[in-house]
Amino acid sequence: MFENTFYSQEQHGPFEYFELGNFMLESGEILTDAKLAYAVHGKLNEAKDNAILMTIMFSGTSKHMEHYIGEGFALDPTKYCIILPNQLGNGLSTSPQNANEAQAMSRFPRLSIGDDVEAQYQLLTEHFGISELQLVTGWSMGAQQTYEWAIRYPDMVKRAVPIAGTARCTPHDRLYVEVFCEALKSDPAWENGEYKEPHACVAGLKRLARVFALMGCSTGFYKCEDWKRLGFENMQQFLTDFWEAWFLPTDPNVLLVLAEKWKNGDSSKHYKNNLKMALERITAITRVIAFEKDMFVPVEDCMYEQQFIVKSELEIIPSRMGHFSMLGCFGEDFSKIDSIYRDILSTNE
């Protein structure tokens, strides 16, 4: 166990902790002295019916999604109480690098998307006293959590916007996750998860970053040199100052714990492994967002699941930024996502 200053209030705050105590996982293991890190924007009203839950993606924290929140935006903190719970194992919540010694580093328990949702459910019901969510939304692994929420707690979720993610991880995505995990673990400094200091695995993290660069943006992004729109002078600078800069500060075991959750994500496993049955449980007004050039989660993967959700529509955003369109680096992507949020929040049955 050692401190990685990347996972700090200075880098990702302000956030708070909810004490889960000895938290029973779906695997049957207990995550001891578990803490769930979360950020809040806005205030809960007296009726406690203005809450929005925004779940967090792979490698990210609550800080990475807060740019969608602001006065005048759809996610307006003067109107809504917007709660952003960090995933268990994401570096801010209880994670391999901050757990007690018995569960630190390579000894950290295996987690599931369901574990995240149950921890979040405890936060919302026990700490905030919330029984109704106006909206649950999230990108990528956040979409996995969004589906899990809408399926497990249909009476609590009024609206859902899963973005570029699926309720059941596809075989292609499982393969992709395995590839970038192997790239990371190929670094000799990884030492089976018992590396000697926080930033030992530079080579492995750089290899992982290149795998993300390959699939995270579309082929058209590179062909049209769209990195220039982001202020980079050439492709090499984009690879180092965007992709490597994103991953190099992170903790390898954190990424591997999250990756395991990602590839095993399956919201149908408590419903006889019947995905159609699980998705038909969703009663929320739902907008499924897909990115047209997404090589992680192609439109057809989103469309396949969306057909089983009764009150749902599919929204396709045509951005060459691909899966990472959600970062809103291109203004038109941000505006489209904000407009979808605005539209669904104004929609009633």
Side-chain angles (χ1 to χ4, degrees):
M1 174 178 169
F2 44 63
E3 183 181 9
N4 182 336
T5 56
F6 178 68
Y7 301 107
S8 64
Q9 291 283 357
E10 291 72 26
Q11 294 287 333
H12 298 283
F15 57 84
E16 302 173 58
Y17 286 110
F18 175 65
E19 302 282 345
L20 292 162
N22 292 332
F23 184 70
M24 177 64 73
L25 303 172
E26 288 190 330
S27 66
E29 290 187 81
I30 292 175
L31 185 61
T32 59
D33 300 322
K35 298 178 178 63
L36 183 67
Y38 67 96
V40 181
H41 297 263
K43 293 184 178 181
L44 200 59
N45 62 18
E46 188 174 348
K48 299 187 177 182
D49 63 358
N50 68 330
I52 289 174
L53 186 72
M54 193 172 201
T55 55
I56 306 303
M57 72 289 195
F58 175 83
S59 78
T61 73
S62 48
K63 194 72 174 178
H64 291 119
M65 287 291 99
E66 69 177 15
H67 59 291
Y68 279 95
I69 301 168
E71 190 170 353
F73 295 154
L75 305 185
D76 189 334
T78 66
K79 183 176 181 181
Y80 299 105
C81 177
I82 304 147
I83 302 165
L84 299 92
N86 290 275
Q87 290 190 56
L88 294 171
N90 85 327
L92 299 188
S93 299
T94 299
S95 302
Q97 93 295 347
N98 64 25
N100 62 53
E101 185 61 29
Q103 294 187 317
M105 304 290 284
S106 64
R107 298 173 295 284
F108 197 75
R110 177 177 293 190
L111 303 176
S112 71
I113 297 295
D115 293 329
D116 284 309
V117 170
E118 288 306 306
Q120 293 163 18
Y121 179 81
Q122 287 189 30
L123 169 71
L124 296 182
T125 58
E126 296 175 15
H127 180 68
F128 288 101
I130 292 169
S131 59
E132 176 183 89
L133 291 164
Q134 291 298 321
L135 171 67
V136 180
T137 185
W139 164 48
S140 198
M141 281 190 77
Q144 290 180 301
Q145 294 165 71
T146 299
Y147 279 118
E148 189 83 16
W149 258 103
I151 291 167
R152 286 194 183 213
Y153 298 106
D155 295 336
M156 193 169 174
V157 181
K158 292 187 67 175
R159 301 173 184 84
V161 180
I163 303 171
T166 52
R168 173 189 285 167
C169 188
T170 64
H172 177 267
D173 262 13
R174 285 199 296 272
L175 176 60
Y176 173 72
V177 171
E178 289 170 2
V179 168
F180 74 67
C181 287
E182 288 304 313
L184 173 54
K185 292 186 288 186
S186 69
D187 189 335
W190 181 61
E191 296 192 35
N192 293 314
E194 294 295 325
Y195 37 91
K196 298 300 187 291
E197 56 92 13
H199 303 293
C201 301
V202 172
L205 287 166
K206 283 185 176 181
R207 290 167 191 159
L208 177 147
R210 290 302 175 98
V211 179
F212 267 82
L214 175 68
M215 294 284 288
C217 295
S218 72
T219 57
F221 177 94
Y222 292 103
K223 184 176 181 179
C224 298
E225 300 184 346
D226 279 342
W227 59 77
K228 293 178 180 177
R229 292 187 61 188
L230 305 180
F232 298 103
E233 295 182 1
N234 52 54
M235 181 172 166
Q236 184 59 44
Q237 186 188 21
F238 176 60
L239 293 174
T240 57
D241 294 357
F242 183 89
W243 292 108
E244 290 182 10
W246 181 280
F247 286 107
L248 281 177
T250 63
D251 181 85
N253 281 328
V254 163
L255 298 183
L256 293 168
V257 163
L258 297 180
E260 189 74 13
K261 274 198 281 188
W262 176 353
K263 78 173 186 177
N264 292 317
D266 185 356
S267 292
S268 74
K269 63 185 178 182
H270 297 299
Y271 306 95
K272 302 179 180 179
N273 293 315
N274 186 320
L275 183 61
K276 179 176 181 289
M277 179 190 297
L279 292 168
E280 286 176 344
R281 286 178 52 83
I282 297 175
T283 58
I285 302 169
T286 304
R287 299 287 185 273
V288 175
I289 298 181
F291 299 127
E292 186 177 63
K293 305 296 184 182
D294 193 333
M295 293 196 288
F296 284 13
V297 187
V299 171
E300 54 265 32
D301 290 343
C302 295
M303 186 181 297
Y304 174 76
E305 294 189 347
Q306 180 261 327
Q307 68 178 314
F308 301 125
I309 304 171
V310 177
K311 293 182 289 188
S312 69
E313 296 177 17
L314 179 67
E315 302 270 2
I316 302 173
I317 297 177
S319 174
R320 289 199 296 261
M321 195 77 187
H323 189 71
F324 280 75
S325 299
M326 185 64 189
L327 292 182
C329 296
F330 296 163
E332 64 270 22
D333 298 340
F334 180 93
S335 295
K336 179 61 177 175
I337 293 164
D338 182 69
S339 71
I340 293 169
Y341 283 146
R342 192 178 306 277
D343 179 67
I344 195 170
L345 285 167
S346 67
T347 301
N348 294 305
E349 294 186 65

